[in-house]
Amino acid sequence: MSARHHESYPRLPTSTFVADQDRLHHIKRIFDLVPNALLLLDQAGNIAACNAAALAFFGYSEHELVGRDVDFVWQATATDRHAKPHVAACSELLTGIARPKNGEIFPAALSFVADTAAIAPFTSAMLQKLPRESDSVHQVRQLQAELAHMARVTELGEMAATLAHELTQPLAAIANYSQGCTRLMATTGDTSSTQVQEVLSEITRHALRAGDIINRLRDFVARTAGDKSVEHVHQLIDEAMEITLLGTGSSRLSTEYLLEAKRDRVLVDRIQIEQVVMNLVRNAVEAMEGAQRRNLRISTKNGTDDTIVVEISDTGAGIEWDETLFHPFVSNKPRGIGVGLAMSKRIIEAHGGNISARPGAGVGSIFSFTLPLLERPDAK
Amino acid sequence: MPNDVIVHVVDDDETFRKSLTFLLASAGYSVCAYESALTFLALLPLPEKACLVTDLRMPQINGIDLLLRLRALDIEIPTIIITCHGDVSMAVQAMKAGAADFIEKPFKDDVLIRAINRVASQGDPIATTAERNTVKARLRQLTEREQQVLAGVVEGLQNKAIAFDLGISARTVEVHRANMMAKMGAHNIADLVRMVLSYNGVARPRINP
């Protein structure tokens, strides 16, 4: 479009001086308002004029550019060297390197339009910024990383399915043995065996629980619908806490419950939601290892949009905040593999909720998730 | 509680087979264990008062095939199928092939022992008349939709498939399903299938030879 203006520039009708001036002014305005950098080159290839975009682009003032060879701000890349841009036949696009005043060179193409029929032949050149090679390389690397990541996630899924199958057998065997032992001890009637029996029933409980988790994991990986049931979030929190705080040295840990939500009925896969709570609580406890004050707080409240919000906050060292926090294979823990939070996110989102994290007031961090409430349980 | 019932265990996994043998022995049963359906079949016929506990997935002859062979030989032995989680549709097939009950791994000992005692002492699968009446009463409490969802679940269909068949959303199926499970007093699908099949009598080989 701009080329058309320049073509007509020398052929302006000269009916009256005022009209001419008006017209020139108008064309100059358009020339300046074009968002692309434009250079007008004379027959020798020197810059005769440039628009505002070109000045902004190269960072030079007009008097610094006018009269200079075009090479001053732009050079064709090696393969195009043979072509002298200002003698380009009619219209040609040449790639090259732009050299602005600040020294930050970048790839740019110039498209030349020569008007040899004009009274004073000239060439207009429009500059087009090209994506940097490093930009493309960066993009390619990012895509590669994403692909590799997806491959790992798929691999992990397959691995989990196999693991689930392989682990069920020994877990079932553990459960069988411990239950058999419990029965044997009960029949011998040895009173000193009470403690052992208690331990055995704990072993059974944990083996069965692990079996449950593995079965749910298999459902989860296979993306089949888990068994959803109507549950009370507060009850799930209680159950999850009971299991998590076993063996965490909870004596030095103070736990505060602020379960204030009035409504907590949800339709969820119980084991999955408990997994999320356990995971967040375990993270919180681990974050407080070695901390002076070890305060774990679990609170619930009802959100405005018929949801329940569960918050787990700790007084630990806090974590590094960035958007990759919930990505798989990103971990702030020395031995973490970075699956816990990603898994939690998937679980919560599959239930129609959200999970997020933020720094605590002064110390620690707060993880929170929401779940949609089940309103009318008998809704048809 | 000592028992005169001999429990025959068929499972190809040695770890599980041994542990199950130990558990049943500690509960007072006489146990014979076999690593394959063929070794078990080779010992037939069995003395009175026997009960079979078999794995579902095994190489060569699986649990369902074993049940079919027993039926072909006209041997009636109350059979409990041990399944892995997620084998519901296979478990339903096994029930239809004549299994008296099925239990998911890993399990509580009480669940298995109760099942063995029930099927072995009565020679009748799963439910007493009283239990069948309970199931009947629960089934009556279901809405029409809930009954439709139940039918789909028992066939081993996914929520999505049930939703498609009924022309409703998967989320609605989930709600109906949760309510149906609660009304039936079923802890899991295995529980539900057991109840429904005991009520319908589909599972019983004598009725459906």
mmCIF file of all heavy atoms in Angstrom, chain A residues 67-115:
data_model
loop_
_atom_site.group_PDB
_atom_site.id
_atom_site.type_symbol
_atom_site.label_atom_id
_atom_site.label_comp_id
_atom_site.label_asym_id
_atom_site.label_seq_id
_atom_site.Cartn_x
_atom_site.Cartn_y
_atom_site.Cartn_z
ATOM 1 N N GLY A 67 21.306 10.276 4.068
ATOM 2 C CA GLY A 67 22.605 10.405 3.420
ATOM 3 C C GLY A 67 23.509 9.199 3.644
ATOM 4 O O GLY A 67 24.479 9.008 2.921
ATOM 5 N N ARG A 68 23.176 8.372 4.616
ATOM 6 C CA ARG A 68 23.986 7.186 4.857
ATOM 7 C C ARG A 68 23.647 6.077 3.859
ATOM 8 O O ARG A 68 22.521 6.000 3.373
ATOM 9 C CB ARG A 68 23.686 6.625 6.260
ATOM 10 C CG ARG A 68 24.130 7.533 7.376
ATOM 11 C CD ARG A 68 25.530 7.174 7.781
ATOM 12 N NE ARG A 68 25.877 7.798 9.052
ATOM 13 C CZ ARG A 68 27.026 7.589 9.680
ATOM 14 N NH1 ARG A 68 27.918 6.777 9.160
ATOM 15 N NH2 ARG A 68 27.283 8.194 10.805
ATOM 16 N N ASP A 69 24.620 5.201 3.624
ATOM 17 C CA ASP A 69 24.346 4.024 2.815
ATOM 18 C C ASP A 69 23.410 3.114 3.612
ATOM 19 O O ASP A 69 23.477 3.087 4.847
ATOM 20 C CB ASP A 69 25.662 3.278 2.536
ATOM 21 C CG ASP A 69 25.499 2.203 1.491
ATOM 22 O OD1 ASP A 69 24.912 1.140 1.830
ATOM 23 O OD2 ASP A 69 25.945 2.404 0.348
ATOM 24 N N VAL A 70 22.557 2.375 2.922
ATOM 25 C CA VAL A 70 21.620 1.492 3.616
ATOM 26 C C VAL A 70 22.360 0.441 4.443
ATOM 27 O O VAL A 70 21.876 -0.047 5.457
ATOM 28 C CB VAL A 70 20.636 0.844 2.612
ATOM 29 C CG1 VAL A 70 21.343 -0.149 1.701
ATOM 30 C CG2 VAL A 70 19.486 0.155 3.358
ATOM 31 N N ASP A 71 23.593 0.116 4.024
ATOM 32 C CA ASP A 71 24.425 -0.841 4.768
ATOM 33 C C ASP A 71 24.628 -0.437 6.230
ATOM 34 O O ASP A 71 24.941 -1.272 7.081
ATOM 35 C CB ASP A 71 25.822 -0.936 4.124
ATOM 36 C CG ASP A 71 25.794 -1.857 2.912
ATOM 37 O OD1 ASP A 71 24.694 -2.364 2.599
ATOM 38 O OD2 ASP A 71 26.849 -2.053 2.293
ATOM 39 N N PHE A 72 24.470 0.852 6.476
ATOM 40 C CA PHE A 72 24.682 1.386 7.825
ATOM 41 C C PHE A 72 23.726 0.739 8.833
ATOM 42 O O PHE A 72 24.087 0.481 9.981
ATOM 43 C CB PHE A 72 24.491 2.907 7.795
ATOM 44 C CG PHE A 72 24.697 3.581 9.127
ATOM 45 C CD1 PHE A 72 25.923 3.527 9.791
ATOM 46 C CD2 PHE A 72 23.656 4.291 9.731
ATOM 47 C CE1 PHE A 72 26.106 4.156 11.007
ATOM 48 C CE2 PHE A 72 23.839 4.917 10.947
ATOM 49 C CZ PHE A 72 25.063 4.850 11.591
ATOM 50 N N VAL A 73 22.492 0.509 8.406
ATOM 51 C CA VAL A 73 21.512 -0.074 9.323
ATOM 52 C C VAL A 73 21.083 -1.482 8.958
ATOM 53 O O VAL A 73 20.444 -2.180 9.737
ATOM 54 C CB VAL A 73 20.244 0.799 9.432
ATOM 55 C CG1 VAL A 73 20.534 2.063 10.214
ATOM 56 C CG2 VAL A 73 19.663 1.101 8.067
ATOM 57 N N TRP A 74 21.425 -1.910 7.762
ATOM 58 C CA TRP A 74 20.957 -3.245 7.349
ATOM 59 C C TRP A 74 21.913 -3.851 6.347
ATOM 60 O O TRP A 74 22.342 -3.192 5.410
ATOM 61 C CB TRP A 74 19.556 -3.134 6.729
ATOM 62 C CG TRP A 74 18.979 -4.453 6.286
ATOM 63 C CD1 TRP A 74 18.276 -5.311 7.037
ATOM 64 C CD2 TRP A 74 19.080 -5.043 4.978
ATOM 65 N NE1 TRP A 74 17.914 -6.420 6.301
ATOM 66 C CE2 TRP A 74 18.396 -6.270 5.028
ATOM 67 C CE3 TRP A 74 19.682 -4.644 3.781
ATOM 68 C CZ2 TRP A 74 18.289 -7.113 3.938
ATOM 69 C CZ3 TRP A 74 19.574 -5.501 2.681
ATOM 70 C CH2 TRP A 74 18.873 -6.735 2.774
ATOM 71 N N GLN A 75 22.249 -5.115 6.543
ATOM 72 C CA GLN A 75 23.113 -5.803 5.600
ATOM 73 C C GLN A 75 22.466 -7.121 5.191
ATOM 74 O O GLN A 75 21.932 -7.838 6.036
ATOM 75 C CB GLN A 75 24.473 -6.103 6.229
ATOM 76 C CG GLN A 75 25.349 -4.872 6.293
ATOM 77 C CD GLN A 75 26.490 -5.027 7.288
ATOM 78 O OE1 GLN A 75 26.564 -6.022 7.999
ATOM 79 N NE2 GLN A 75 27.352 -4.037 7.321
ATOM 80 N N ALA A 76 22.538 -7.366 3.885
ATOM 81 C CA ALA A 76 21.996 -8.631 3.393
ATOM 82 C C ALA A 76 22.848 -9.774 3.934
ATOM 83 O O ALA A 76 24.051 -9.606 4.165
ATOM 84 C CB ALA A 76 21.979 -8.654 1.873
ATOM 85 N N THR A 77 22.246 -10.906 4.174
ATOM 86 C CA THR A 77 23.016 -12.069 4.609
ATOM 87 C C THR A 77 23.880 -12.557 3.451
ATOM 88 O O THR A 77 23.593 -12.283 2.295
ATOM 89 C CB THR A 77 22.093 -13.196 5.107
ATOM 90 O OG1 THR A 77 21.008 -13.309 4.220
ATOM 91 C CG2 THR A 77 21.601 -12.927 6.490
ATOM 92 N N ALA A 78 24.913 -13.307 3.782
ATOM 93 C CA ALA A 78 25.954 -13.688 2.829
ATOM 94 C C ALA A 78 25.421 -14.145 1.474
ATOM 95 O O ALA A 78 25.892 -13.702 0.432
ATOM 96 C CB ALA A 78 26.828 -14.775 3.429
ATOM 97 N N THR A 79 24.413 -15.020 1.486
ATOM 98 C CA THR A 79 23.938 -15.583 0.224
ATOM 99 C C THR A 79 23.334 -14.521 -0.689
ATOM 100 O O THR A 79 23.260 -14.701 -1.890
ATOM 101 C CB THR A 79 22.882 -16.675 0.484
ATOM 102 O OG1 THR A 79 21.934 -16.151 1.412
ATOM 103 C CG2 THR A 79 23.522 -17.939 1.026
ATOM 104 N N ASP A 80 22.879 -13.433 -0.091
ATOM 105 C CA ASP A 80 22.234 -12.397 -0.900
ATOM 106 C C ASP A 80 23.191 -11.266 -1.291
ATOM 107 O O ASP A 80 22.791 -10.307 -1.920
ATOM 108 C CB ASP A 80 21.048 -11.791 -0.122
ATOM 109 C CG ASP A 80 19.947 -12.811 0.045
ATOM 110 O OD1 ASP A 80 19.837 -13.675 -0.831
ATOM 111 O OD2 ASP A 80 19.232 -12.744 1.058
ATOM 112 N N ARG A 81 24.429 -11.411 -0.890
ATOM 113 C CA ARG A 81 25.405 -10.330 -1.049
ATOM 114 C C ARG A 81 25.552 -9.847 -2.491
ATOM 115 O O ARG A 81 25.811 -8.682 -2.729
ATOM 116 C CB ARG A 81 26.781 -10.785 -0.530
ATOM 117 C CG ARG A 81 26.892 -10.671 0.976
ATOM 118 C CD ARG A 81 27.443 -9.328 1.389
ATOM 119 N NE ARG A 81 27.280 -9.171 2.824
ATOM 120 C CZ ARG A 81 27.646 -8.066 3.472
ATOM 121 N NH1 ARG A 81 28.229 -7.095 2.834
ATOM 122 N NH2 ARG A 81 27.455 -7.966 4.758
ATOM 123 N N HIS A 82 25.403 -10.777 -3.403
ATOM 124 C CA HIS A 82 25.622 -10.402 -4.800
ATOM 125 C C HIS A 82 24.622 -9.352 -5.269
ATOM 126 O O HIS A 82 24.881 -8.600 -6.171
ATOM 127 C CB HIS A 82 25.540 -11.645 -5.700
ATOM 128 C CG HIS A 82 24.178 -12.271 -5.719
ATOM 129 N ND1 HIS A 82 23.761 -13.123 -4.740
ATOM 130 C CD2 HIS A 82 23.142 -12.121 -6.581
ATOM 131 C CE1 HIS A 82 22.520 -13.493 -4.998
ATOM 132 N NE2 HIS A 82 22.129 -12.900 -6.125
ATOM 133 N N ALA A 83 23.464 -9.351 -4.642
ATOM 134 C CA ALA A 83 22.434 -8.415 -5.095
ATOM 135 C C ALA A 83 22.615 -7.071 -4.412
ATOM 136 O O ALA A 83 22.652 -6.991 -3.203
ATOM 137 C CB ALA A 83 21.064 -8.976 -4.778
ATOM 138 N N LYS A 84 22.696 -6.064 -5.175
ATOM 139 C CA LYS A 84 22.747 -4.719 -4.617
ATOM 140 C C LYS A 84 21.313 -4.272 -4.446
ATOM 141 O O LYS A 84 20.585 -4.132 -5.436
ATOM 142 C CB LYS A 84 23.504 -3.785 -5.576
ATOM 143 C CG LYS A 84 24.975 -3.582 -5.203
ATOM 144 C CD LYS A 84 25.122 -3.106 -3.774
ATOM 145 C CE LYS A 84 26.276 -2.121 -3.611
ATOM 146 N NZ LYS A 84 26.447 -1.776 -2.183
ATOM 147 N N PRO A 85 20.871 -4.093 -3.237
ATOM 148 C CA PRO A 85 19.456 -3.855 -3.011
ATOM 149 C C PRO A 85 18.886 -2.679 -3.817
ATOM 150 O O PRO A 85 17.824 -2.764 -4.357
ATOM 151 C CB PRO A 85 19.385 -3.574 -1.517
ATOM 152 C CG PRO A 85 20.771 -3.361 -1.071
ATOM 153 C CD PRO A 85 21.651 -4.104 -2.023
ATOM 154 N N HIS A 86 19.645 -1.605 -3.909
ATOM 155 C CA HIS A 86 19.093 -0.403 -4.537
ATOM 156 C C HIS A 86 18.954 -0.533 -6.045
ATOM 157 O O HIS A 86 18.324 0.274 -6.676
ATOM 158 C CB HIS A 86 19.938 0.818 -4.178
ATOM 159 C CG HIS A 86 21.391 0.570 -4.345
ATOM 160 N ND1 HIS A 86 22.049 0.856 -5.496
ATOM 161 C CD2 HIS A 86 22.315 0.028 -3.488
ATOM 162 C CE1 HIS A 86 23.328 0.511 -5.343
ATOM 163 N NE2 HIS A 86 23.505 0.016 -4.154
ATOM 164 N N VAL A 87 19.581 -1.570 -6.605
ATOM 165 C CA VAL A 87 19.388 -1.787 -8.030
ATOM 166 C C VAL A 87 18.447 -2.964 -8.282
ATOM 167 O O VAL A 87 18.357 -3.468 -9.383
ATOM 168 C CB VAL A 87 20.712 -1.993 -8.799
ATOM 169 C CG1 VAL A 87 21.524 -0.717 -8.759
ATOM 170 C CG2 VAL A 87 21.490 -3.176 -8.255
ATOM 171 N N ALA A 88 17.785 -3.394 -7.210
ATOM 172 C CA ALA A 88 16.845 -4.497 -7.353
ATOM 173 C C ALA A 88 15.823 -4.143 -8.420
ATOM 174 O O ALA A 88 15.337 -3.012 -8.475
ATOM 175 C CB ALA A 88 16.146 -4.741 -6.028
ATOM 176 N N ALA A 89 15.552 -5.123 -9.265
ATOM 177 C CA ALA A 89 14.751 -4.878 -10.465
ATOM 178 C C ALA A 89 13.440 -4.159 -10.177
ATOM 179 O O ALA A 89 13.326 -2.951 -10.406
ATOM 180 C CB ALA A 89 14.485 -6.199 -11.159
ATOM 181 N N CYS A 90 12.504 -4.885 -9.659
ATOM 182 C CA CYS A 90 11.215 -4.237 -9.431
ATOM 183 C C CYS A 90 10.785 -4.387 -8.001
ATOM 184 O O CYS A 90 10.583 -3.453 -7.264
ATOM 185 C CB CYS A 90 10.172 -4.812 -10.375
ATOM 186 S SG CYS A 90 8.597 -3.978 -10.219
ATOM 187 N N SER A 91 10.694 -5.637 -7.595
ATOM 188 C CA SER A 91 10.345 -5.865 -6.197
ATOM 189 C C SER A 91 11.042 -7.139 -5.752
ATOM 190 O O SER A 91 11.062 -8.137 -6.465
ATOM 191 C CB SER A 91 8.825 -5.969 -6.067
ATOM 192 O OG SER A 91 8.461 -7.219 -5.595
ATOM 193 N N GLU A 92 11.667 -7.091 -4.632
ATOM 194 C CA GLU A 92 12.456 -8.218 -4.182
ATOM 195 C C GLU A 92 12.474 -8.227 -2.656
ATOM 196 O O GLU A 92 12.487 -7.177 -2.017
ATOM 197 C CB GLU A 92 13.884 -8.081 -4.708
ATOM 198 C CG GLU A 92 14.599 -9.407 -4.809
ATOM 199 C CD GLU A 92 15.917 -9.272 -5.594
ATOM 200 O OE1 GLU A 92 16.078 -8.299 -6.349
ATOM 201 O OE2 GLU A 92 16.755 -10.147 -5.409
ATOM 202 N N LEU A 93 12.482 -9.413 -2.117
ATOM 203 C CA LEU A 93 12.574 -9.529 -0.657
ATOM 204 C C LEU A 93 13.933 -10.128 -0.312
ATOM 205 O O LEU A 93 14.284 -11.198 -0.773
ATOM 206 C CB LEU A 93 11.447 -10.442 -0.134
ATOM 207 C CG LEU A 93 11.406 -10.637 1.372
ATOM 208 C CD1 LEU A 93 10.751 -9.446 2.060
ATOM 209 C CD2 LEU A 93 10.668 -11.917 1.735
ATOM 210 N N LEU A 94 14.723 -9.391 0.432
ATOM 211 C CA LEU A 94 16.052 -9.884 0.798
ATOM 212 C C LEU A 94 16.149 -10.028 2.313
ATOM 213 O O LEU A 94 15.719 -9.146 3.055
ATOM 214 C CB LEU A 94 17.129 -8.907 0.320
ATOM 215 C CG LEU A 94 17.267 -8.733 -1.191
ATOM 216 C CD1 LEU A 94 18.382 -7.731 -1.490
ATOM 217 C CD2 LEU A 94 17.578 -10.059 -1.866
ATOM 218 N N THR A 95 16.723 -11.148 2.727
ATOM 219 C CA THR A 95 16.901 -11.319 4.162
ATOM 220 C C THR A 95 18.256 -10.787 4.579
ATOM 221 O O THR A 95 19.202 -10.787 3.791
ATOM 222 C CB THR A 95 16.813 -12.809 4.571
ATOM 223 O OG1 THR A 95 17.779 -13.532 3.819
ATOM 224 C CG2 THR A 95 15.444 -13.376 4.314
ATOM 225 N N GLY A 96 18.348 -10.335 5.791
ATOM 226 C CA GLY A 96 19.606 -9.772 6.251
ATOM 227 C C GLY A 96 19.576 -9.515 7.740
ATOM 228 O O GLY A 96 18.734 -10.046 8.462
ATOM 229 N N ILE A 97 20.528 -8.698 8.154
ATOM 230 C CA ILE A 97 20.665 -8.387 9.576
ATOM 231 C C ILE A 97 20.450 -6.888 9.769
ATOM 232 O O ILE A 97 21.088 -6.081 9.088
ATOM 233 C CB ILE A 97 22.087 -8.730 10.072
ATOM 234 C CG1 ILE A 97 22.413 -10.222 9.850
ATOM 235 C CG2 ILE A 97 22.272 -8.368 11.533
ATOM 236 C CD1 ILE A 97 21.695 -11.173 10.769
ATOM 237 N N ALA A 98 19.558 -6.545 10.680
ATOM 238 C CA ALA A 98 19.366 -5.131 10.998
ATOM 239 C C ALA A 98 20.307 -4.757 12.142
ATOM 240 O O ALA A 98 20.535 -5.553 13.042
ATOM 241 C CB ALA A 98 17.917 -4.890 11.382
ATOM 242 N N ARG A 99 20.900 -3.509 12.028
ATOM 243 C CA ARG A 99 21.826 -3.058 13.069
ATOM 244 C C ARG A 99 21.332 -1.762 13.684
ATOM 245 O O ARG A 99 21.706 -0.688 13.221
ATOM 246 C CB ARG A 99 23.220 -2.820 12.480
ATOM 247 C CG ARG A 99 23.782 -4.022 11.763
ATOM 248 C CD ARG A 99 25.180 -3.719 11.242
ATOM 249 N NE ARG A 99 25.792 -4.947 10.766
ATOM 250 C CZ ARG A 99 26.352 -5.847 11.583
ATOM 251 N NH1 ARG A 99 26.419 -5.620 12.869
ATOM 252 N NH2 ARG A 99 26.867 -6.944 11.078
ATOM 253 N N PRO A 100 20.526 -1.845 14.721
ATOM 254 C CA PRO A 100 20.068 -0.606 15.354
ATOM 255 C C PRO A 100 21.202 0.044 16.158
ATOM 256 O O PRO A 100 22.251 -0.568 16.358
ATOM 257 C CB PRO A 100 18.926 -1.062 16.259
ATOM 258 C CG PRO A 100 19.078 -2.524 16.411
ATOM 259 C CD PRO A 100 19.986 -3.045 15.347
ATOM 260 N N LYS A 101 20.942 1.267 16.600
ATOM 261 C CA LYS A 101 21.975 2.061 17.286
ATOM 262 C C LYS A 101 22.456 1.378 18.574
ATOM 263 O O LYS A 101 23.622 1.440 18.921
ATOM 264 C CB LYS A 101 21.404 3.437 17.636
ATOM 265 C CG LYS A 101 22.468 4.452 18.030
ATOM 266 C CD LYS A 101 21.860 5.830 18.213
ATOM 267 C CE LYS A 101 22.946 6.857 18.476
ATOM 268 N NZ LYS A 101 22.372 8.217 18.631
ATOM 269 N N ASN A 102 21.516 0.674 19.253
ATOM 270 C CA ASN A 102 21.899 0.067 20.530
ATOM 271 C C ASN A 102 22.764 -1.187 20.381
ATOM 272 O O ASN A 102 23.131 -1.817 21.368
ATOM 273 C CB ASN A 102 20.644 -0.233 21.372
ATOM 274 C CG ASN A 102 19.747 -1.287 20.734
ATOM 275 O OD1 ASN A 102 20.139 -1.987 19.786
ATOM 276 N ND2 ASN A 102 18.525 -1.398 21.234
ATOM 277 N N GLY A 103 23.047 -1.567 19.115
ATOM 278 C CA GLY A 103 23.966 -2.677 18.897
ATOM 279 C C GLY A 103 23.341 -4.058 18.943
ATOM 280 O O GLY A 103 24.001 -5.052 18.668
ATOM 281 N N GLU A 104 22.059 -4.140 19.309
ATOM 282 C CA GLU A 104 21.404 -5.453 19.368
ATOM 283 C C GLU A 104 20.938 -5.870 17.981
ATOM 284 O O GLU A 104 19.822 -5.577 17.572
ATOM 285 C CB GLU A 104 20.184 -5.403 20.297
ATOM 286 C CG GLU A 104 20.543 -5.472 21.762
ATOM 287 C CD GLU A 104 19.305 -5.434 22.649
ATOM 288 O OE1 GLU A 104 18.227 -5.844 22.185
ATOM 289 O OE2 GLU A 104 19.434 -4.971 23.780
ATOM 290 N N ILE A 105 21.793 -6.577 17.273
ATOM 291 C CA ILE A 105 21.428 -6.937 15.906
ATOM 292 C C ILE A 105 20.366 -8.028 15.910
ATOM 293 O O ILE A 105 20.276 -8.819 16.842
ATOM 294 C CB ILE A 105 22.664 -7.402 15.078
ATOM 295 C CG1 ILE A 105 23.297 -8.653 15.737
ATOM 296 C CG2 ILE A 105 23.674 -6.282 14.949
ATOM 297 C CD1 ILE A 105 24.233 -9.361 14.801
ATOM 298 N N PHE A 106 19.522 -8.004 14.873
ATOM 299 C CA PHE A 106 18.491 -9.042 14.763
ATOM 300 C C PHE A 106 18.188 -9.283 13.296
ATOM 301 O O PHE A 106 18.429 -8.425 12.449
ATOM 302 C CB PHE A 106 17.232 -8.650 15.529
ATOM 303 C CG PHE A 106 16.673 -7.316 15.121
ATOM 304 C CD1 PHE A 106 15.826 -7.215 14.022
ATOM 305 C CD2 PHE A 106 16.998 -6.164 15.827
ATOM 306 C CE1 PHE A 106 15.314 -5.990 13.647
ATOM 307 C CE2 PHE A 106 16.498 -4.944 15.451
ATOM 308 C CZ PHE A 106 15.649 -4.851 14.349
ATOM 309 N N PRO A 107 17.683 -10.473 12.982
ATOM 310 C CA PRO A 107 17.390 -10.780 11.587
ATOM 311 C C PRO A 107 16.191 -9.975 11.098
ATOM 312 O O PRO A 107 15.201 -9.816 11.810
ATOM 313 C CB PRO A 107 17.059 -12.270 11.583
ATOM 314 C CG PRO A 107 16.854 -12.661 12.992
ATOM 315 C CD PRO A 107 17.377 -11.596 13.880
ATOM 316 N N ALA A 108 16.294 -9.436 9.887
ATOM 317 C CA ALA A 108 15.199 -8.659 9.310
ATOM 318 C C ALA A 108 15.296 -8.745 7.800
ATOM 319 O O ALA A 108 16.385 -8.854 7.238
ATOM 320 C CB ALA A 108 15.283 -7.209 9.763
ATOM 321 N N ALA A 109 14.150 -8.729 7.171
ATOM 322 C CA ALA A 109 14.123 -8.755 5.706
ATOM 323 C C ALA A 109 13.710 -7.376 5.200
ATOM 324 O O ALA A 109 12.949 -6.683 5.868
ATOM 325 C CB ALA A 109 13.154 -9.811 5.232
ATOM 326 N N LEU A 110 14.260 -6.988 4.055
ATOM 327 C CA LEU A 110 13.826 -5.733 3.418
ATOM 328 C C LEU A 110 13.131 -6.091 2.116
ATOM 329 O O LEU A 110 13.644 -6.902 1.333
ATOM 330 C CB LEU A 110 15.026 -4.835 3.123
ATOM 331 C CG LEU A 110 15.576 -3.968 4.253
ATOM 332 C CD1 LEU A 110 16.686 -3.065 3.722
ATOM 333 C CD2 LEU A 110 14.496 -3.142 4.925
ATOM 334 N N SER A 111 11.935 -5.541 1.923
ATOM 335 C CA SER A 111 11.311 -5.750 0.614
ATOM 336 C C SER A 111 11.437 -4.437 -0.171
ATOM 337 O O SER A 111 11.074 -3.378 0.322
ATOM 338 C CB SER A 111 9.871 -6.219 0.754
ATOM 339 O OG SER A 111 9.155 -5.370 1.585
ATOM 340 N N PHE A 112 12.031 -4.572 -1.338
ATOM 341 C CA PHE A 112 12.348 -3.394 -2.145
ATOM 342 C C PHE A 112 11.329 -3.210 -3.243
ATOM 343 O O PHE A 112 10.905 -4.183 -3.872
ATOM 344 C CB PHE A 112 13.730 -3.551 -2.792
ATOM 345 C CG PHE A 112 14.833 -3.578 -1.777
ATOM 346 C CD1 PHE A 112 15.334 -4.783 -1.315
ATOM 347 C CD2 PHE A 112 15.362 -2.383 -1.289
ATOM 348 C CE1 PHE A 112 16.338 -4.815 -0.381
ATOM 349 C CE2 PHE A 112 16.374 -2.421 -0.354
ATOM 350 C CZ PHE A 112 16.876 -3.633 0.106
ATOM 351 N N VAL A 113 10.918 -1.999 -3.449
ATOM 352 C CA VAL A 113 10.078 -1.679 -4.606
ATOM 353 C C VAL A 113 10.748 -0.513 -5.318
ATOM 354 O O VAL A 113 10.902 0.559 -4.727
ATOM 355 C CB VAL A 113 8.652 -1.286 -4.178
ATOM 356 C CG1 VAL A 113 7.807 -0.953 -5.405
ATOM 357 C CG2 VAL A 113 8.011 -2.411 -3.387
ATOM 358 N N ALA A 114 11.203 -0.784 -6.522
ATOM 359 C CA ALA A 114 11.903 0.266 -7.275
ATOM 360 C C ALA A 114 10.939 0.920 -8.254
ATOM 361 O O ALA A 114 10.108 0.253 -8.866
ATOM 362 C CB ALA A 114 13.077 -0.335 -8.021
ATOM 363 N N ASP A 115 11.020 2.204 -8.341
ATOM 364 C CA ASP A 115 10.192 2.907 -9.330
ATOM 365 C C ASP A 115 11.123 3.612 -10.302
ATOM 366 O O ASP A 115 11.575 4.736 -10.073
ATOM 367 C CB ASP A 115 9.274 3.917 -8.638
ATOM 368 C CG ASP A 115 8.345 4.586 -9.635
ATOM 369 O OD1 ASP A 115 8.479 4.288 -10.849
ATOM 370 O OD2 ASP A 115 7.500 5.386 -9.201
#
